[in-house]
Amino acid sequence: MTFKKCSFILLAGGKGARMESPFKQFRLLGGMPLWAWSFKLSSELYDMGLIGEVIVVFPKGFDFSNEVKIINELNIPFKVNVVEGGETRAISSLAGIGAASGDYVLVHDAARPFASSSLVQRIISSITPLTGVIPLTPVRDALKKVSNKGEIFPVSRENLWSTQTPQAFPREELIAVMKLADNNMSDEAEAWIKAGYPINFVEGEPSNIKVTYESDFKFCETIARGMSQWRVGHGFDVHPLRPWRKLILAGHLIPDAPLGLEGHSDGDVISHAVADALLGAAGEPDLGTLYPSSDERYKDASSIIFLEEISHFLSKKNWSLIWLDITLEAQLPRLSKFINCFKINLENALSSLTWAMNKRINLKVKSGEYIGAVGKAQCMKCHAIATMRSDIAWRK
């Protein structure tokens, strides 16, 4: 088959009723929403030439505008279609499959964050125009059945297998059997088998676990921590104040400021310190190396744009921002009323580095107390400390 004719359906439309809090797919796992782990898998599959498009199914009636924004900001080089699901898995699945255009579909549960690209490759390689393929793992534990009266009976585990996702099927045939299926079916394979179609299997992966209960989520958190590398970076910058310059901080023009920061660019001391903190945590060259003052292209340039570019650069290397603490030293003018604006500008500039930027930035302004160069309003200084997480080891 031609892999580009395969569509990836990501089912993230459930309510997670068996969890302590509903809508488990939006809970952060290792700094990313649970659904985003499988979305990143789809990006890897596209790069490998295994799929041609992605359809994400979110809950019916749920405001998922923030999730759409996240997808758009990732600048994914393939088609992504976001659709609304229904009250049951069957309805949500049919909505996703119906929005697909591929000859084949891979239907994956967003509650399985650790499916690997090698598993998907084996599944796709086994599919035929009339045969579905599912991943199965042998049941390893001894089984017992508990009656309504609390009586316990042993059950043989011989020839019993657990079903995983993604599951692959010819799209048009799957639509036909899904329309005839019970809305309470457990997965697509159940509808496929009941319709009498042939199905094959490949062996699944023990790591491809499903988050169903709270204990599952906690176990996945342990795995995610082991897949990440944490670092802390420090950034510092200082610029002199001059009467002929505009004062720009964190991309915001301070109106009626008597003095502005001198520099080759706009002298934005906050953006410069933050940039060096991020680059330092990632082990990259500093801001001056990437945007040298000897380059006339950067004369009077907006430093907040530098920050946006650095954010995208580090995001592509699988870095994400966990926490950013900033201290600005300034005597004049009084800047406390601008702090919220500074934080909003920084959040927007760094949005590609995190899946949930809210409340990840702390910014303080300290007076020089009329001591030294800062206290005499001769300059401003800024320190920034960034805590970053790297997912370089993610799904190798």
Side-chain angles (χ1 to χ4, degrees):
M1 63 171 286
T2 302
F3 292 146
K4 288 294 185 182
K5 292 183 179 180
C6 190
S7 303
F8 187 87
I9 316 296
L10 179 58
L11 298 181
K15 295 181 179 179
R18 287 171 286 188
M19 298 282 289
E20 290 181 0
S21 57
F23 299 110
K24 61 188 175 185
Q25 62 271 43
F26 302 114
R27 289 180 60 177
L28 293 183
L29 174 65
M32 295 189 299
L34 183 61
W35 68 266
W37 285 78
S38 296
F39 188 79
K40 291 197 77 172
L41 169 63
S42 71
S43 180
E44 184 180 347
L45 298 177
Y46 179 84
D47 291 340
M48 295 173 66
L50 296 178
I51 62 171
E53 65 176 0
V54 176
I55 291 85
V56 185
V57 184
F58 284 126
K60 180 180 180 180
F62 190 86
D63 181 11
F64 47 81
S65 56
N66 185 59
E67 283 64 39
V68 174
K69 179 182 178 183
I70 289 172
I71 293 172
N72 291 335
E73 288 176 347
L74 291 174
N75 296 318
I76 299 298
F78 53 84
K79 179 182 177 183
V80 179
N81 191 5
V82 177
V83 300
E84 189 176 68
E87 294 298 323
T88 66
R89 177 196 173 94
I91 296 173
S92 294
S93 180
L94 189 55
I97 299 164
S101 61
D103 293 337
Y104 302 89
V105 290
L106 282 162
V107 184
H108 187 53
D109 194 331
R112 293 185 182 272
F114 302 134
S116 73
S117 57
S118 60
L119 171 62
V120 177
Q121 193 166 25
R122 286 188 285 115
I123 292 171
I124 291 179
S125 297
S126 301
I127 198 171
T128 72
L130 288 176
T131 304
V133 181
I134 57 175
L136 299 177
T137 56
V139 173
R140 293 172 169 81
D141 298 325
L143 298 177
K144 303 293 183 291
K145 181 178 180 180
V146 181
S147 71
N148 293 334
K149 297 180 180 180
E151 299 170 311
I152 300 175
F153 303 95
V155 177
S156 173
R157 64 187 174 196
E158 185 177 357
N159 297 324
L160 291 181
W161 297 68
S162 297
T163 313
Q164 299 181 336
T165 66
Q167 301 180 4
F169 305 92
R171 183 178 64 87
E172 291 186 1
E173 287 76 8
L174 183 60
I175 290 176
V177 301
M178 292 288 288
K179 287 181 177 179
L180 298 175
D182 186 341
N183 282 339
N184 294 318
M185 66 167 201
S186 58
D187 63 3
E188 294 67 38
E190 180 180 331
W192 187 264
I193 293 170
K194 286 183 177 180
Y197 281 97
I199 193 165
N200 293 329
F201 77 93
V202 299
E203 185 156 352
E205 298 171 330
S207 59
N208 186 20
I209 61 176
K210 182 180 179 182
V211 177
T212 303
Y213 300 101
E214 195 66 30
S215 57
D216 300 325
F217 194 88
K218 292 177 179 178
F219 183 61
C220 286
E221 286 182 317
T222 301
I223 296 175
R225 282 194 296 269
M227 298 167 71
S228 301
Q229 180 181 22
W230 293 64
R231 288 185 186 171
V232 175
H234 173 257
F236 169 77
D237 199 32
V238 56
H239 282 278
L241 286 161
R242 298 289 186 256
W244 59 83
R245 293 280 291 187
K246 294 178 180 179
L247 181 58
I248 299 174
L249 294 168
H252 182 74
L253 175 64
I254 308 300
D256 303 321
L259 302 171
L261 292 165
E262 185 178 26
H264 183 65
S265 60
D266 57 6
D268 185 345
V269 69
I270 294 179
S271 294
H272 294 176
V274 170
D276 273 342
L278 300 176
L279 291 166
E284 299 290 343
D286 67 359
L287 182 68
T289 301
L290 298 178
Y291 301 90
S293 58
S294 58
D295 194 328
E296 286 301 308
R297 290 180 300 169
Y298 307 129
K299 183 173 176 57
D300 298 322
S302 169
S303 297
I304 203 75
I305 294 179
F306 297 165
L307 208 51
E308 290 174 0
E309 293 176 352
I310 289 169
S311 176
H312 285 292
F313 168 69
L314 296 179
S315 176
K316 290 180 179 178
K317 293 196 170 187
N318 290 323
W319 286 98
S320 23
L321 178 65
I322 304 303
W323 185 251
L324 180 61
D325 189 35
I326 306 163
T327 302
L328 174 66
E329 298 182 48
Q331 187 66 40
L332 294 172
R334 296 186 65 83
L335 298 168
S336 58
K337 64 181 179 181
F338 298 108
I339 288 179
N340 191 54
C341 181
F342 294 161
K343 291 169 70 173
I344 291 173
N345 285 356
L346 292 172
E347 287 171 359
N348 291 334
L350 302 176
S351 60
S352 61
L353 270 180
T354 179
W355 296 90
M357 177 58 79
N358 293 340
K359 299 181 180 179
R360 293 203 180 193
I361 297 178
N362 188 42
L363 193 154
K364 301 93 61 186
V365 179
K366 295 291 186 180
S367 167
E369 300 296 341
Y370 305 104
I371 299 172
V374 172
K376 295 175 182 178
Q378 295 175 350
C379 70
M380 288 186 183
K381 297 179 180 180
C382 189
H383 292 265
I385 297 177
T387 303
M388 304 274 282
R389 191 191 71 252
S390 168
D391 292 321
I392 294 173
W394 180 80
R395 204 181 282 116
K396 287 291 180 73

